[in-house]
Amino acid sequence: MIRDDTRQTIKFVIWVIGIIIAIYIASVAIFYGAGSQSRNNDREITKLANQKTPIRNIDTYYHLDRGVSSYSLKGTSTKGQSYYFIYLPKSKRAYLMPEKKGVSENKIRSEFERLHSNQKISDVNLGWYKGKAVWEVTSQNKNNDYSYTLYEFKTGNEISEVANL
């Protein structure tokens, strides 16, 4: 009798371990699959930037969807010049902008922090909005309410702000 109980316990433990392993593998597959579109877009924009622009080294990827989905990156040329590249997949349009012809992410962050000291920046993205390049700053206040602030890429001027969402 003791042997039957031991065998049943061992079978039960093996089943539990098998189920845990199956759940783990399924969750890894789901998370990997969920990120595949983003990885594909990053590969596509990298390929375009390397083929059509002087950008050879990629520093940062961005994604913004404000009515128009846009994928962007910041990179440098072999001469060390910094550029931003924005690609609009739906219209197949692309824009290359030297960093010196606009406002950098660091300047946008500094300006936002200076004007909104009570908010913490969650994310900064470069993208396309109403026919021009923009920076979007996502932030949270102390009540965990989100705010979204748009700045023009070329001037750094604030375009709009949606607060306390």
Side-chain angles (χ1 to χ4, degrees):
M1 286 217 161
I2 294 177
R3 285 187 172 174
D4 287 340
D5 288 344
T6 304
R7 283 185 187 156
Q8 285 181 340
T9 303
I10 291 172
K11 279 184 178 179
F12 176 75
V13 169
I14 290 172
W15 272 101
V16 168
I17 291 172
I19 291 171
I20 290 171
I21 291 171
I23 290 171
Y24 175 75
I25 290 170
S27 64
V28 168
I30 289 169
F31 282 111
Y32 183 78
S36 68
Q37 183 66 34
S38 178
R39 285 189 300 279
N40 288 341
N41 289 327
D42 289 350
R43 276 194 294 271
E44 183 178 352
I45 192 171
T46 299
K47 182 179 171 185
L48 280 170
N50 286 330
Q51 289 175 349
K52 307 279 185 189
T53 73
I55 296 172
R56 294 298 169 256
N57 301 310
I58 309 301
D59 298 328
T60 310
Y61 292 97
Y62 304 98
H63 175 251
L64 185 64
D65 195 337
R66 285 283 183 145
V68 173
S69 185
S70 57
Y71 294 91
S72 311
L73 59 79
K74 178 186 179 190
T76 54
S77 67
T78 54
K79 296 179 181 179
Q81 297 168 311
S82 291
Y83 293 93
Y84 291 101
F85 179 69
I86 299 176
Y87 177 62
L88 311 175
K90 189 171 183 178
S91 65
K92 304 261 189 239
R93 291 186 175 252
Y95 301 90
L96 178 67
M97 300 162 299
E99 182 178 37
K100 62 186 174 186
K101 298 252 177 155
V103 179
S104 71
E105 177 183 347
N106 290 336
K107 288 181 183 174
I108 291 296
R109 284 179 177 273
S110 297
E111 179 68 10
F112 182 86
E113 288 169 348
R114 185 180 69 78
L115 295 173
H116 304 274
S117 58
N118 63 335
Q119 295 183 357
K120 182 181 174 195
I121 294 176
S122 303
D123 201 12
V124 177
N125 278 299
L126 176 66
W128 203 252
Y129 178 69
K130 292 189 176 180
K132 59 185 160 189
V134 296
W135 288 106
E136 179 189 66
V137 178
T138 305
S139 62
Q140 279 184 293
N141 63 18
K142 292 177 182 171
N143 296 330
N144 289 326
D145 294 330
Y146 282 95
S147 294
Y148 299 91
T149 308
L150 290 179
Y151 294 91
E152 284 186 60
F153 171 79
K154 287 187 178 184
T155 64
N157 293 333
E158 186 176 312
I159 297 172
S160 70
E161 181 177 23
V162 178
N164 300 323
L165 297 176

